Amino acid sequence: MPIQFPLKLVGRHMLAPSVGHYQFVRDDGQPLDFQPGQFIQVHFSYADGTATKRSYSLATIHDHALGPGDAVDIAVSFVPGGAATALFEGLELGGHITGSGPFGRFCLNPGDHNSRYLLIATGTGVTPYRSMLPLLRKAIEERGVEVVLLQGARTPAELLYSEDFRAFAEATPGFRYMPCLSRELPANPHPDGRQGYVQQHLAEIAPDPARDIAYLCGNPDMVDACFEALKVAGLPVPQIRREKYVSSK
């Protein structure tokens, strides 16, 4: 049984029409010592009292060289009629939920010797990449790594954390941000913006088994399509790291 702890809500805002950014702090006097790419679980009960839980990747940007912190940032997709949606929508500032973790191994490996990371995501699958930004900056500065982030969404309003990624790309040579929109392009598109699904633009970045490690996170169909395309390009399975997101009520 994982150790559970209280999380206090200290901030929230809407990232997209149906996705909220929630900022918590661990409220038991202990830090949350996590690796970027990991997730927490939120524990609650259905209306009939049955215990349940949901998993949320940590979007927290924290300089881990300074030690663990207590900030817990997550992105929550609102599902009509969803029990977790009701939990978060009804949570007031200062209110508490119960969490456990961190869990997962969808992380940057300190033993990696690749020269490029391909980060591919749709929807809230982009949240772990936000938490990875400090480590990516370190890898770019110390190892000369290149990073390409392909983020898929239907419309500009659904590009979660796009301002963070744009600012990081502008400030960090070696980091390329490619938003891919399947339904609606903005009036003034990003120079590296593309129309269509992320898997349609993999060939443009020329995946290379000699230099690339790829991360896939988000919609299961996208993850499967990109996984097959990367294998066709020659990437061995150990160089393709995956995490699928499935919405639950």
Side-chain angles (χ1 to χ4, degrees):
M1 182 81 176
I3 295 174
Q4 298 183 11
F5 44 80
L7 294 171
K8 182 172 73 173
L9 183 65
V10 296
R12 64 182 174 190
H13 64 271
M14 296 304 293
L15 289 172
S18 61
V19 181
H21 175 81
Y22 283 74
Q23 298 170 287
F24 296 91
V25 293
R26 183 164 171 170
D27 203 28
D28 61 354
Q30 299 296 315
L32 186 71
D33 192 9
F34 75 97
Q35 293 298 313
Q38 290 188 303
F39 64 91
I40 63 165
Q41 291 185 328
V42 171
H43 301 258
F44 62 102
S45 297
Y46 289 119
D48 65 1
T50 304
T52 187
K53 59 190 176 183
R54 298 287 185 272
S55 298
Y56 298 95
S57 287
L58 290 158
T60 314
I61 297 178
H62 176 71
D63 186 349
H64 291 261
L66 303 176
D70 63 356
V72 179
D73 291 5
I74 60 175
V76 178
S77 293
F78 296 156
V79 179
T85 296
L87 171 72
F88 284 101
E89 286 188 328
L91 192 62
E92 301 290 342
L93 290 177
H96 289 79
I97 59 173
T98 299
S100 65
F103 306 101
R105 292 183 284 185
F106 189 73
C107 304
L108 298 175
N109 188 333
D112 287 343
H113 298 291
N114 59 308
S115 60
R116 187 171 68 164
Y117 285 112
L118 306 179
L119 310 179
I120 304 164
T122 55
T124 54
V126 81
T127 55
Y129 304 147
R130 183 178 189 260
S131 74
M132 291 177 183
L133 290 178
L135 287 183
L136 291 169
R137 179 183 288 112
K138 182 178 180 182
I140 290 168
E141 292 174 349
E142 295 183 357
R143 293 204 288 123
V145 170
E146 296 177 26
V147 181
V148 180
L149 169 59
L150 279 79
Q151 180 183 10
R154 294 178 300 179
T155 68
E158 294 175 311
L159 283 170
L160 309 184
Y161 301 118
S162 60
E163 292 182 0
D164 295 317
F165 297 126
R166 290 175 193 269
F168 189 82
E170 291 172 1
T172 312
F175 184 91
R176 182 182 181 188
Y177 175 52
M178 296 179 64
C180 302
L181 298 168
S182 62
R183 293 191 183 177
E184 176 190 325
L185 287 177
N188 298 301
H190 185 278
D192 260 333
R194 299 292 184 269
Q195 185 167 21
Y197 298 106
V198 290
Q199 54 266 36
Q200 295 174 309
H201 299 285
L202 275 178
E204 180 183 346
I205 58 176
D208 183 351
R211 63 190 298 241
D212 291 338
I213 290 177
Y215 285 76
L216 310 174
C217 192
N219 178 279
D221 292 337
M222 178 280 293
V223 171
D224 290 342
C226 288
F227 181 67
E228 293 303 322
L230 290 167
K231 286 197 299 181
V232 169
L235 266 68
V237 171
Q239 288 172 224
I240 309 172
R241 300 165 183 173
R242 297 172 286 170
E243 193 155 278
K244 296 180 179 180
Y245 281 18
V246 180
S247 295
S248 301
K249 283 198 171 184

